[in-house]
């Protein structure tokens, strides 16, 4: 067992400033690394190696808006590790709920929500001070992902062990509803209307559409085998769903309420990120040790980028 966490930069530091290319951050669960992809070239330009005291099990990794700090979920030590991206040095290790997995940056960029799966809690971390803000219990069991609405009024959690979704009122600081879903909810996509959520249902082979205001499932849409990730486009016209058992991404037209396209990707497609212009989608392929790059206009895979072992997800600040 290692006594400390250290970071090693495998390649030179990325150029800074306004001219720097957009970057995608990929958490590689099995080998304790974060791959940094230049989205202009679609190549890994930096690798950050992270070794925790209990071994390597990285879940989410995300950078703040200014890309000064990288936040990495260490599931085995139940911490969120804050790393100075300029130096690669650890700035802080922040306690989270037990066995954390999903982490989300708020739309304002001011706080991070981290789901503690084994103690059924969401912990909120202040990005600027790196200090815990508060903890909110979930009614459901084993929350994996927590997703903010765009207005930061709501946070929804997907609860794997109780097959439901918590609706947390952030102003009230508590869960105000528990919505039963089709089975084993995973990724969550909330549309810009701040009221409609698409939740991937791993065991039912599709997504459930939830009306946040009425706390009801209004529709279910079939996608593929073992859906795991869900991501909405900035305009809310599309929702992308990874089907982990089918090595494929389904594209849902939200106006039509149906799948309008399918794009083959790597094995065990997991969590995703879109470029700011929405033209490229990056998909973590857990069992292929790669990230697929999808052209969202042509709906085709244009590149597969090798990364570390068992990539969990991708984030573009």
């Amino acid at each position: 067992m290692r006594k400390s966490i250290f970071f090693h930069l495998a390649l030179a530091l990325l150029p800074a400033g306004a001219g720097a290319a957009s970057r995608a951050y990929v958490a590689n669960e099995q080998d304790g690394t974060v791959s940094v992809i230049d989205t202009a070239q679609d190549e890994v330009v930096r690798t950050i190696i992270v070794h925790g005291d209990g071994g390597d099990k990285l879940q989410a990794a995300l950078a703040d808006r200014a890309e000064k700090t990288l936040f990495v979920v260490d599931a085995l030590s139940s911490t969120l590790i804050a790393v100075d991206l300029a130096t690669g040095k650890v700035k802080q290790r922040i306690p989270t709920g037990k066995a954390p997995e999903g982490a989300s940056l708020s739309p304002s960029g001011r706080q991070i929500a981290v789901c503690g799966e084994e103690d059924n809690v969401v912990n909120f971390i202040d990005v600027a001070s790196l200090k815990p803000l508060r903890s909110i219990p979930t009614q459901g069991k084993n929350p994996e992902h927590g997703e903010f609405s765009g207005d930061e009024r709501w946070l929804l959690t997907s609860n794997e062990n109780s097959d439901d979704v918590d609706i947390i009122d952030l102003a009230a600081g508590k869960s105000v509803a528990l919505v039963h879903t089709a089975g084993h909810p995973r990724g969550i996509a909330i549309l810009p209307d701040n009221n409609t959520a698409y939740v991937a249902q791993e065991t039912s082979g599709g997504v459930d559409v939830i009306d946040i205001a009425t706390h009801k499932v209004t529709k279910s849409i079939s996608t593929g085998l073992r859906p795991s990730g869900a991501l909405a486009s900035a305009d809310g016209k599309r929702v992308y769903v990874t089907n982990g058992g089918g090595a494929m991404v389904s594209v849902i037209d939200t106006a039509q309420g149906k799948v309008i396209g399918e794009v083959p990707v790597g094995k065990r497609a997991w969590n995703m990120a879109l470029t700011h212009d929405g033209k490229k989608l990056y998909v973590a392929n857990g069992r292929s040790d790669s990230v697929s790059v999808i052209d969202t206009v042509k709906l085709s895979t244009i590149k597969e980028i090798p990364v570390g072992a068992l990539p969990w997800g991708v984030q573009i600040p």
Side-chain angles (χ1 to χ4, degrees), residues 241-316:
V241 180
T242 52
N243 300 289
M248 178 259 291
V249 172
S250 296
V251 184
I252 296 173
D253 182 301
T254 58
Q256 298 181 56
K258 67 178 183 179
V259 173
I260 59 168
E262 296 179 342
V263 185
V265 289
K267 297 177 182 177
R268 196 186 178 187
W270 215 338
N271 298 303
M272 303 165 281
L274 279 163
T275 52
H276 294 294
D277 62 10
K279 293 181 179 180
K280 289 196 289 187
L281 177 71
Y282 291 76
V283 183
N285 303 313
R287 295 300 179 190
S288 296
D289 297 341
S290 66
V291 169
S292 292
V293 185
I294 292 174
D295 182 320
T296 60
V297 176
K298 297 179 179 179
L299 291 185
S300 62
T301 298
I302 56 178
K303 191 167 185 179
E304 189 165 343
I305 306 169
V307 291
L310 200 64
W312 183 93
V314 189
Q315 184 249 3
I316 297 175

Side-chain angles (χ1 to χ4, degrees), residues 6-14 28 31-36 44-50 85 87-88:
F6 66 92
F7 286 76
H8 170 73
L9 304 185
L11 297 175
L13 294 180
L14 294 171
N28 302 306
D31 63 4
T33 66
V34 176
S35 300
V36 186
V44 173
V45 293
R46 180 179 177 184
T47 300
I48 304 173
I49 302 174
V50 188
L85 275 169
T87 65

Side-chain angles (χ1 to χ4, degrees), residues 13-23 25 37-41 45 66-67 276:
L13 294 180
L14 294 171
S22 177
R23 290 164 284 255
Y25 294 85
I37 295 171
D38 179 318
T39 61
Q41 302 297 322
V45 293
E67 294 185 70
H276 294 294

Side-chain angles (χ1 to χ4, degrees), residues 192-269:
D193 66 5
N194 299 311
N195 187 63
T196 308
Y198 286 68
V199 185
Q201 304 293 321
E202 187 171 33
T203 59
S204 74
V207 296
D208 283 353
V209 183
I210 294 176
D211 184 301
I212 296 174
T214 63
H215 310 156
K216 293 181 179 179
V217 174
T218 60
K219 188 172 186 175
S220 295
I221 303 170
S222 296
T223 59
L225 184 62
R226 294 200 299 277
S228 56
L231 182 66
S233 60
D235 59 11
K237 293 181 179 180
R238 287 182 175 179
V239 169
Y240 300 94
V241 180
T242 52
N243 300 289
M248 178 259 291
V249 172
S250 296
V251 184
I252 296 173
D253 182 301
T254 58
Q256 298 181 56
K258 67 178 183 179
V259 173
I260 59 168
E262 296 179 342
V263 185
V265 289
K267 297 177 182 177
R268 196 186 178 187

Side-chain angles (χ1 to χ4, degrees), residues 7 24-29 33-36 48 50 58-64 69-74 80-81 83 101-105 112 271-273 312-317:
F7 286 76
Y25 294 85
V26 183
N28 302 306
E29 180 178 320
T33 66
V34 176
S35 300
V36 186
I48 304 173
V50 188
L58 301 188
Q59 305 284 12
L62 51 94
D64 65 357
T69 305
L70 178 69
F71 295 89
V72 185
V73 171
D74 182 351
L80 182 68
I81 306 167
V83 182
E101 184 165 358
S104 297
L105 184 67
I112 294 172
N271 298 303
M272 303 165 281
W312 183 93
V314 189
Q315 184 249 3
I316 297 175

